[in-house]
Amino acid sequence: MTRSETTLRALIAAGSLAATILVQRPAAAEIVLTKQNDWELSIDGRLNAFISYAQGDPTPEGVAEWTAGLFEQPVPNSGDISVVRVRSGFVQNVFGFNLTKEAAPGYKLGGRFALWVGASNERKPVLGQQPAVEAREAYLKLEAPWGTIQAGRALGLYGRGGILMDADIVHANGLGNPCSTRVILGGACGFAGHGVLFPGFNAGFLYSTPSLAGLQVTVGVYDPSVNSEKGYEITPYPRLEGQLSYNLHDTLKVFVEGMWQRLINTNPLRDDMSMPILDASGRPLNEIADASGVAAGAQVSVGPLQVGGSFYQGKGLTLIVPIFNTPILTDQNINPVLRGSLGFAGMASLRFGGTKIAGGAGMSQLKLTPYEQEPYSSQVPPKQQLGISIGLYQTFFKQLTWAIEYFRGQYTWYQYQQTTADPIVTPKQNVNFFNTGLTLVF
């Protein structure tokens, strides 16, 4: 398998993680199984299946399959992409166990263990690769008058505000952008990669202050990420993430988030002659890079109307998941430098009884470093991803939702010129997605 194919699979897997977002559920949705010795055990989850049809332009010439957009073999004669998949939605199929106990007045012990699984296997005859069952949530929690401590695997903090907004306003019972049609290693992306980042499910320790008139601070220490594609595999410190949130009776929600992680390259720094650069002691120096980001957003809910918007900016964030294992994390110089990126999205929904109309638009951009210039002759990096979504969501029996969606992805790369004798072009790709499916929440 080539590096491009390996990276493509990894990129799709990470993008698919955006579909497995933890959607907040009311306690009433949980099914209590038993109560014994002051412990309460309950379950919750969801089941879904969608038909998703993609139609649009093929990957442009000069663009690697793994960089951005959607890669599929074009249909003969027409030259366009045309493919149908049956798959899970923005949130996968979930089966979760919740354990709680009132340990003492004001003190509550608990934890959650949840299994997540998709609906699709690979498109191979008879016996394709089956979808993996993953324990994406496995954590314990202590709630006390002085705050809450959580330890284990759960949704990350940086990017949580934007992706939860996407779920709450638009895509919780839908699909949005499918991330990929070739390989389905999770759910779908919603707006992730199109103005919103997905934080992923990560192991960490978190502390949250008590809510003070709706204001709360949460800080987290997480298992660090690496980028082996560019040699950033030394992580001397954990990844730090934080969130400041404000919730006014669910009418107004505001969040500000931040993230930082140090990365050190396994390859020594080199001079213009490609010779290692040495320190005063004669030891090779290594490139040190700090991935970091900030994000903010706000959401208003008034009667049947919900409106929200979010923003993120930083370096080492790529386009979907921060510090992801893809070559676009850095430039192509001998001493790689982290690329900057930014994104913003706006969403709205209107509900009439069991009927909801929802949609929005978002844009993610990847910036060149000061050491890069156009045009590129190979491995053209993506420049911008624009997503536009509109959908109708009809709920029956309070728990079953039928969704009909349209999502348009518009992708642009930096300029490309194969040889100096060829014209300079700006690669572009437009893809239309039509989704419909059912979701049962319990």
Side-chain angles (χ1 to χ4, degrees):
M1 182 178 292
T2 66
R3 188 183 77 165
S4 296
E5 291 172 332
T6 302
T7 309
L8 172 64
R9 286 177 174 266
L11 180 58
I12 291 168
S16 298
L17 289 176
T20 61
I21 185 69
L22 173 62
V23 177
Q24 296 170 320
R25 309 173 185 87
E30 298 175 357
I31 302 173
V32 177
L33 293 182
T34 184
K35 293 183 180 181
Q36 188 172 357
N37 297 329
D38 298 325
W39 285 101
E40 179 178 291
L41 177 64
S42 64
I43 61 172
D44 62 57
R46 64 172 53 214
L47 299 168
N48 59 37
F50 285 81
I51 298 174
S52 181
Y53 170 63
Q55 180 278 327
D57 304 327
T59 302
E61 182 183 358
V63 172
E65 300 173 7
W66 42 261
T67 54
L70 180 72
F71 179 79
E72 270 287 353
Q73 295 293 342
V75 176
N77 301 323
S78 72
D80 291 336
I81 289 173
S82 181
V83 60
V84 176
R85 296 304 310 266
V86 177
R87 50 164 307 139
S88 54
F90 180 62
V91 185
Q92 285 184 293
N93 299 294
V94 183
F95 191 70
F97 299 86
N98 307 289
L99 191 64
T100 59
K101 177 182 180 179
E102 196 75 27
Y107 287 82
K108 185 177 180 180
L109 294 175
R112 177 172 173 82
F113 182 83
L115 300 174
W116 303 68
V117 62
S120 301
N121 58 332
E122 289 190 12
R123 294 177 294 179
K124 294 181 179 179
V126 186
L127 296 176
Q129 179 179 332
Q130 304 303 308
V133 179
E134 301 178 31
R136 300 210 168 178
E137 297 170 87
Y139 60 84
L140 59 91
K141 181 185 290 187
L142 170 62
E143 299 177 54
W146 39 261
T148 299
I149 294 176
Q150 179 177 304
R153 184 173 179 80
L155 189 68
L157 280 175
Y158 183 68
R160 179 186 293 188
I163 206 72
L164 283 180
M165 181 185 300
D166 185 7
D168 190 25
I169 298 179
V170 187
H171 292 123
N173 295 318
L175 194 154
N177 180 269
C179 297
S180 166
T181 54
R182 288 185 70 194
V183 181
I184 300 177
L185 300 176
C189 277
F191 273 119
H194 304 80
V196 173
L197 285 174
F198 178 66
F201 286 87
N202 305 289
F205 281 77
L206 285 76
Y207 168 73
S208 300
T209 65
S211 177
L212 179 61
L215 191 67
Q216 189 172 47
V217 176
T218 303
V219 293
V221 177
Y222 287 94
D223 192 29
S225 300
V226 300
N227 180 276
S228 58
E229 285 285 350
K230 290 294 187 175
Y232 283 104
E233 297 186 290
I234 302 174
T235 55
Y237 312 115
R239 186 170 67 258
L240 305 179
E241 299 184 12
Q243 183 189 69
L244 172 65
S245 62
Y246 175 71
N247 187 338
L248 179 62
H249 310 300
D250 289 333
T251 300
L252 173 64
K253 297 179 182 179
V254 181
F255 68 87
V256 178
E257 300 166 342
M259 181 276 291
W260 176 89
Q261 184 190 306
R262 172 149 295 181
L263 295 163
I264 301 178
N265 208 300
T266 55
N267 301 313
L269 288 168
R270 297 183 180 276
D271 58 22
D272 294 338
M273 302 298 293
S274 295
M275 297 298 293
I277 299 175
L278 308 179
D279 62 14
S281 302
R283 294 175 298 186
L285 290 172
N286 292 73
E287 177 75 21
I288 297 176
D290 291 333
S292 61
V294 296
Q299 176 180 333
V300 177
S301 301
V302 180
L305 179 66
Q306 284 186 298
V307 178
S310 64
F311 166 84
Y312 75 85
Q313 184 175 18
K315 58 181 180 178
L317 304 181
T318 66
L319 287 169
I320 299 178
V321 181
I323 319 179
F324 184 55
N325 190 35
T326 170
I328 67 174
L329 182 81
T330 73
D331 58 24
Q332 299 172 22
N333 290 293
I334 189 171
N335 298 316
V337 177
L338 299 184
R339 287 198 176 105
S341 61
L342 64 87
F344 46 89
M347 312 164 203
S349 68
L350 192 62
R351 185 184 297 273
F352 303 96
T355 304
K356 183 173 82 169
I357 300 173
M363 179 183 295
S364 295
Q365 297 178 334
L366 191 69
K367 303 297 184 180
L368 299 183
T369 71
Y371 308 99
E372 294 182 289
Q373 63 180 7
E374 301 177 90
Y376 285 82
S377 59
S378 63
Q379 292 190 0
V380 185
K383 181 177 183 179
Q384 178 175 289
Q385 298 193 159
L386 171 66
I388 303 170
S389 182
I390 184 69
L392 173 66
Y393 307 88
Q394 179 63 51
T395 300
F396 303 93
F397 315 116
K398 297 182 179 180
Q399 292 176 291
L400 180 66
T401 300
W402 175 37
I404 303 175
E405 294 180 326
Y406 169 70
F407 190 100
R408 181 174 174 83
Q410 298 182 184
Y411 309 100
T412 306
W413 287 260
Y414 284 94
Q415 292 180 349
Y416 167 68
Q417 185 181 34
Q418 185 174 13
T419 69
T420 55
D422 295 315
I424 297 175
V425 297
T426 301
K428 296 181 179 180
Q429 182 187 34
N430 297 322
V431 185
N432 302 299
F433 302 97
F434 302 89
N435 313 313
T436 186
L438 296 169
T439 299
L440 174 64
V441 179
F442 61 90

